[in-house]
Amino acid sequence: MRERLTSDLGVYALSGLFSFLVFLLALAVLSATLPGGLDARRTGGLVVGYLLFLSAYTAAWYIYTEIDAREEV
């Protein structure tokens, strides 16, 4: 199990999970500290931005696995 977490893909997975947790924490903090909290427009903008980041992150992960698979041949 430890080898999986310290592999390159394991690091990708853990850092993706960490970014998701930071995103949720940021939403909670913004909701508590902004005057009036987070409305639908602000939340929507933040979620769309995070999903764009996540799609680029996933594409990089996919490309990395394809390159890694070709090098093992």
Side-chain angles (χ1 to χ4, degrees):
M1 176 76 173
R2 182 181 172 116
E3 293 160 358
R4 283 181 134 178
L5 294 178
T6 57
S7 70
D8 290 341
L9 290 178
V11 171
Y12 263 108
L14 287 176
S15 60
L17 178 64
F18 178 73
S19 76
F20 181 69
L21 294 175
V22 168
F23 177 71
L24 291 179
L25 178 66
L27 284 180
V29 168
L30 287 173
S31 176
T33 59
L34 283 176
L38 282 176
D39 58 359
R41 185 175 179 181
R42 287 180 182 166
T43 304
L46 290 170
V47 169
V48 167
Y50 182 73
L51 290 176
L52 287 172
F53 161 74
L54 198 59
S55 64
Y57 187 83
T58 304
W61 189 349
Y62 176 76
I63 290 168
Y64 180 81
T65 57
E66 289 298 315
I67 290 172
D68 198 35
R70 291 181 184 177
E71 288 180 354
E72 290 178 2
V73 173

